[in-house]
């Protein structure tokens, strides 16, 4: 990008622009705010490397929890599932056959408790316990299984015989569960919805039924496309509300560190190695791209950033450094127990309240961060200006610099890139320092100043996530210089950039963008006589000495240039504020006056921009049905296009009334059909009414007019004549008063003077009956979910169902 002085800029504003490697533990790129900042990191010591101990701990009795806080676990001898969380004494939820032991279980969002047991022959049984109600009929369909079934009123089971034997299960946020056979490294998925049986309506064969009345049958399928890495053993598995499933694995090499693979949409990521030696025994979701791990005998969980990537190699991840303390409860009876296997944010871990009663506690980190005091990071690439002897001009920085933090930008230039590749030491004299934020006072080092504009780019909002605050956050700028030299201009074709982030230990600077401009636009060289110009060059200019007079004058004039150039840029980019898409918000009302587009003062910004953009088209279509539809779309976010508002010219209903009233409408006089057809009364299309109730509702719209006439053809013809020059605007019955007022105001302004109109609230069946052009102007939406029926709110048979809460402890319900 070039500015008004034809200066080019280079921007560093993304993770790919910096060399952020695992060796640089003190710095990270924040994907949420798109800033470079300190990583809260520390070294973890005394982590036990005992795999046998880790497997022993992870195979303990599992604990799961529902969305209401009640829990379920396994009682001795391991075949009894108990639930609690309401009263002190737990209740028995299910007793498994003798010889079976529950090895894992998870409560799903679909109201099903997925439990996996094994018997003495190492045969797995999968229990699907419907906590929303019972389902007695049918069986689970298994693909590729030699299976036998048995069932109770609320439980479905599957005995595996010849294939893999799952021993780990996690619930998926969209319903169903993912299972893992750790020994054979095979994955399985339970699909389908566990709805209770309900009466099915009897429909005529002629009635279209796009949806089945019965819920889909639950199935267990094998996911052959998911393969764990070779020479690795699975330890534990966990799922997240974001849809990812993490599997903790150990390499066969005992000296290699533990790893994690993520599963997303049935695609497995490359393994991510965890830094520091140790053998975690449990994994849990602690936030976006953050997974927590438990280690034997450690009183805190360790959190690592783990991102999904399908590349073959991923760098070793170091812990975030945040402290997640663990409370093991009374007498630490829940010490070294795996995380609660549930979909919760954050993950919970088993603990106990008084009297040793199980209490799942959420995992939270301490709010007191520990950042390094300083760290260095290099720009990934050396900047090439393409011009020998380039004089580098100015730095613009978008950053948040809290009190006690700062930033040093070190620059080094050369005519050969190889000279900069050899520049590795931070204290090398070739680095030219530029300071930002609260730094030690040194008058000879250039220091950035704060600018109130969010960006030097004309009319740009800036890249920083927070609002500008003087001397703290926003835009900073500094003239590029060589402090201490006789001639302080920094020259060279190539430029290398290094940053040093400085902090107090508890605050971190945040760098959103760095832009470097060149070549220097010098007022001294451009506008003053030659006698004012620099006369010292070469080795003499590189001497350590006070600055020369011309050098000082040139830098002094750059103070004025720093103010005037942004003004010139705004003048040169004035066309931006005449474009409704790019104009600043405060210019929209002014811009709309140019084309007589009177936008409503209550419109949001996006709607105003679109209204101004479409204003000329709206002027061309004004007075037509398309123009009115466009005006309503602009004012209501495409409600007319979606079918929430239907514009019905009443004359088009002549055929409908002919069919309903039994009148004879001749084809020759039909304005809707081109050519002759034998029957003019039964035309399936935009005016057909289906169903007796829709017919009654439709005729009610015209009851006042119809009551005046009988069935005589002449009287009906007069009624047809009255349908001319009339418009009916149909809106949904649930449209609010403010929206109705807005629609009425739009129609009043846009409709021709000789047209009468009315706005009528109608039901969805009537709208579909009048305008049944599928996917063009029919009101379409996703199939409503199955909600719990509520007294005084739900309509019987309208998507709401009477069912119990999907809780593990039924005593929660009255």
């Amino acid at each position: 990008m070039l500015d008004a002085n034809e200066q080019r800029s280079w921007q560093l504003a993304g993770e790919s622009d910096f060399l952020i490697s695992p060796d640089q533990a003190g710095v990270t790129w924040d994907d949420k705010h798109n800033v470079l900042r300190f990583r809260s990191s520390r070294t973890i010591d005394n982590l036990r490397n005992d795999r046998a101990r880790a497997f022993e701990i992870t195979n303990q009795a599992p604990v799961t929890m529902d969305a209401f806080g009640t829990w379920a676990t396994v009682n001795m001898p391991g075949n009894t599932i108990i639930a609690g969380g309401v009263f002190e004494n737990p209740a028995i939820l299910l007793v498994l056959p003798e010889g079976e032991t529950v090895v894992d279980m998870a409560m799903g969002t679909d109201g099903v408790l997925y439990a996996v047991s094994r018997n003495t022959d190492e045969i797995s049984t999968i229990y699907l316990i419907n906590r929303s109600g019972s389902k007695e009929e049918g069986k689970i369909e298994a693909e590729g299984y030699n299976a036998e079934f048995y069932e109770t009123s609320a439980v479905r089971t599957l005995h595996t015989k010849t294939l893999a034997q799952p021993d780990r299960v996690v619930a998926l946020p969209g319903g169903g569960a993912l299972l893992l056979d750790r020994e054979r490294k095979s994955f399985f998925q339970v699909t389908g919805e566990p709805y209770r049986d309900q009466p099915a309506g009897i429909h005529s064969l002629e009635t279209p039924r796009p949806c089945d009345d019965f819920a889909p049958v639950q199935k267990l399928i094998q996911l052959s496309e998911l393969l764990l890495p070779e020479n690795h053993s699975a330890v534990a598995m966990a799922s997240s509300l974001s849809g990812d499933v993490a599997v903790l694995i150990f390499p066969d090499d005992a000296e290699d560190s533990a790893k994690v693979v993520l599963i997303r949409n049935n695609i497995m990521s490359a393994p991510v190695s965890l830094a520091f030696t140790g053998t975690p025994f449990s994994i849990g979701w602690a936030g976006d791209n953050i997974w927590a791990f438990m280690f034997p005998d450690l009183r805190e969980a360790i959190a690592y950033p783990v991102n999904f990537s399908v590349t073959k190699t991923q760098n070793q991840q170091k812990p975030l450094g945040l402290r997640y303390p663990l409370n093991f409860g009374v007498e630490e009876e829940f010490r070294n127990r795996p995380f609660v296997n549930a979909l919760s944010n954050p993950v919970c871990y088993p603990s106990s309240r008084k009297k040793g009663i199980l209490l799942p506690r959420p995992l939270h980190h301490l709010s007191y961060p520990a950042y390094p005091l300083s760290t260095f990071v290099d720009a990934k690439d050396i900047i090439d200006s393409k011009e020998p002897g380039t004089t580098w001009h100015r730095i613009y920085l978008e950053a948040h610099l809290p009190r006690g933090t700062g930033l040093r930008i070190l620059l080094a230039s050369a005519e050969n890139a190889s000279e900069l590749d050899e520049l590795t030491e931070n204290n090398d004299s070739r680095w030219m320092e530029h300071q930002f934020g609260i730094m030690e006072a040194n008058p000879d080092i250039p220091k950035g100043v704060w600018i109130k504009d969010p960006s030097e780019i004309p009319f740009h909002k800036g890249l920083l996530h927070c609002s500008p605050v003087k001397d703290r956050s926003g835009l900073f700028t500094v003239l590029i210089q060589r402090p201490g030299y006789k001639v302080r201009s920094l020259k060279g074709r190539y430029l290398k950039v290094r940053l040093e982030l400085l902090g107090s230990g508890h605050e971190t600077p945040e760098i959103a963008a760095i832009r470097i401009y060149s070549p220097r636009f010098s007022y001294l060289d451009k506008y003053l006589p030659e006698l004012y110009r620099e006369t010292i060059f070469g080795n003499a200019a590189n001497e350590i000495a006070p600055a020369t007079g011309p050098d000082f004058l040139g830098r002094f004039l750059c103070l004025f240039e720093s103010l005037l150039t942004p003004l010139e840029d705004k003048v040169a980019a004035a066309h931006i504020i005449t474009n409704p898409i790019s104009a600043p918000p405060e210019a929209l009302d002014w811009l709309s006056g140019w084309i007589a587009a009177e936008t409503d003062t209550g419109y949001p910004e996006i709607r105003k921009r679109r209204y101004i953009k479409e204003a000329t088209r709206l002027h061309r279509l004004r007075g037509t049905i398309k123009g009115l539809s466009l005006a309503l779309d602009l004012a209501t976010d495409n409600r007319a296009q979606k079918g929430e508002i239907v514009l019905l010219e009443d004359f088009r209903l002549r055929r409908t009334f002919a069919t309903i009233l039994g009148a004879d409408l001749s084809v020759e006089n039909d304005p809707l059909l081109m050519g002759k057809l034998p029957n003019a009364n039964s035309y399936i299309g935009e005016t057909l009414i289906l169903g007796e109730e829709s017919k009654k509702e439709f005729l009610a719209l015209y009851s006042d007019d119809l009551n005046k006439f009988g069935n005589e053809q002449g009287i009906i013809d007069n009624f047809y004549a009255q349908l001319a020059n009339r418009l009916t605007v149909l809106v949904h019955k649930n449209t609010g008063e403010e929206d109705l007022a807005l629609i009425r105001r739009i129609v009043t302004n846009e409709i021709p003077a000789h047209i009468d109109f009315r706005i009528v609230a109608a039901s969805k069946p009537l709208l579909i009956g009048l305008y049944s052009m599928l996917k063009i102007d029919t009101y379409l939406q996703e199939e409503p979910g199955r909600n719990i029926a509520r007294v005084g709110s739900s309509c019987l048979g309208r998507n709401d169902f009477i069912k119990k809460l999907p809780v593990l402890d039924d005593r929660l319900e009255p």
Side-chain angles (χ1 to χ4, degrees), residues 81 102 104-106 113-117 125-129 169 179:
I81 301 177
V102 178
D104 201 7
M105 59 183 178
L113 173 60
Y114 299 91
V116 180
S117 72
T125 302
I126 305 169
Y127 289 82
L128 292 84
I129 308 171
V169 60
L179 298 99

Side-chain angles (χ1 to χ4, degrees), residues 140-168:
I140 300 176
E141 297 181 1
E143 298 180 359
Y145 271 83
N146 178 15
E148 60 183 25
F149 301 88
Y150 75 93
E151 60 189 356
T152 66
S153 61
V155 181
R156 289 183 170 187
T157 61
L158 169 62
H159 294 292
T160 58
K161 287 292 186 182
T162 58
L163 296 183
Q165 308 298 326
D167 61 345
R168 285 293 174 265

Side-chain angles (χ1 to χ4, degrees), residues 137-443:
E137 80 304 335
K139 296 179 174 63
I140 300 176
E141 297 181 1
E143 298 180 359
Y145 271 83
N146 178 15
E148 60 183 25
F149 301 88
Y150 75 93
E151 60 189 356
T152 66
S153 61
V155 181
R156 289 183 170 187
T157 61
L158 169 62
H159 294 292
T160 58
K161 287 292 186 182
T162 58
L163 296 183
Q165 308 298 326
D167 61 345
R168 285 293 174 265
V169 60
V170 292
L172 301 176
L178 185 70
L179 298 99
L180 168 64
D181 180 350
R182 294 184 296 174
E183 181 179 354
R184 298 169 181 84
K185 304 179 182 179
S186 301
F187 288 89
F188 305 85
Q189 185 173 354
V190 176
T191 62
E193 299 172 325
Y195 296 138
R196 65 171 64 181
D197 287 336
Q198 58 187 17
I202 301 176
H203 306 284
S204 171
L205 295 177
E206 300 177 354
T207 303
R209 302 295 299 167
C211 300
D212 193 356
D213 288 341
F214 297 99
V217 179
Q218 287 179 306
K219 298 180 180 180
L220 182 66
I221 59 176
Q222 184 170 1
L223 303 177
S224 57
E225 65 272 20
L226 296 181
L227 298 174
L228 288 175
E230 295 183 359
N231 304 321
H232 287 74
S233 301
V235 182
M237 188 166 61
S239 58
S240 71
L241 290 173
S242 63
D244 290 344
V245 174
V247 183
L248 174 64
I249 56 179
F250 286 165
D252 292 345
D253 184 358
E255 299 300 325
D256 200 355
S257 61
K259 299 179 182 179
V260 177
V261 292
L262 295 181
I263 300 174
R264 178 183 299 176
N265 299 326
N266 291 340
I267 299 175
M268 183 174 293
S269 73
V272 180
S273 297
L274 307 179
F276 305 116
T277 303
T279 51
F281 63 84
S282 185
I283 182 174
W285 186 56
D288 293 338
N289 299 324
I290 299 176
W291 294 86
F293 300 83
M294 281 189 178
F295 292 81
D297 302 321
L298 192 64
R299 298 192 62 86
E300 65 171 310
I302 309 300
Y304 287 81
V306 181
N307 295 310
F308 184 90
S309 176
V310 294
T311 58
K312 294 183 178 180
T313 59
Q314 292 197 44
N315 295 325
Q316 191 179 58
Q317 290 291 342
K318 294 188 178 181
L320 292 176
L322 300 175
R323 294 186 178 273
Y324 289 84
L326 299 175
N327 182 351
F328 296 125
V330 178
E331 298 181 359
E332 297 192 351
E333 59 179 299
F334 287 95
R335 186 185 184 94
N336 291 335
R337 292 286 298 272
F339 283 118
V340 174
N341 190 357
L343 285 168
S344 61
N345 186 19
V347 65
C348 295
Y349 61 95
S351 182
S352 65
R353 62 183 78 181
K354 293 181 179 179
K355 299 183 180 181
I357 301 174
L358 176 63
L359 173 66
R361 296 182 187 271
L363 184 69
H364 292 294
H365 65 82
L366 297 178
S367 60
Y368 198 68
Y371 298 116
L373 297 178
S374 67
T375 189
F376 288 90
V377 60
D378 285 347
K380 184 176 181 180
D381 299 316
I382 295 176
I383 299 175
D384 183 4
S385 68
K386 308 293 185 182
E387 295 290 337
T390 297
T391 300
W392 298 93
H393 178 53
R394 185 176 295 279
I395 299 174
Y396 282 99
L397 169 70
E398 291 187 52
H400 172 55
L401 304 175
R403 186 181 301 276
T405 67
L407 175 69
R408 296 171 62 220
I409 298 182
L410 306 178
L411 303 179
S413 64
E415 294 297 333
N416 297 316
S418 59
E419 298 180 21
L420 299 179
D421 290 333
E422 301 171 355
L423 188 58
T424 58
E425 297 297 329
N426 297 324
N427 57 358
D428 196 298
S429 61
R430 289 175 290 179
W431 288 115
M432 300 298 124
E433 180 180 347
H434 303 75
Q435 296 181 351
F436 297 86
I438 306 301
M439 308 282 290
E440 64 277 6
N442 189 336

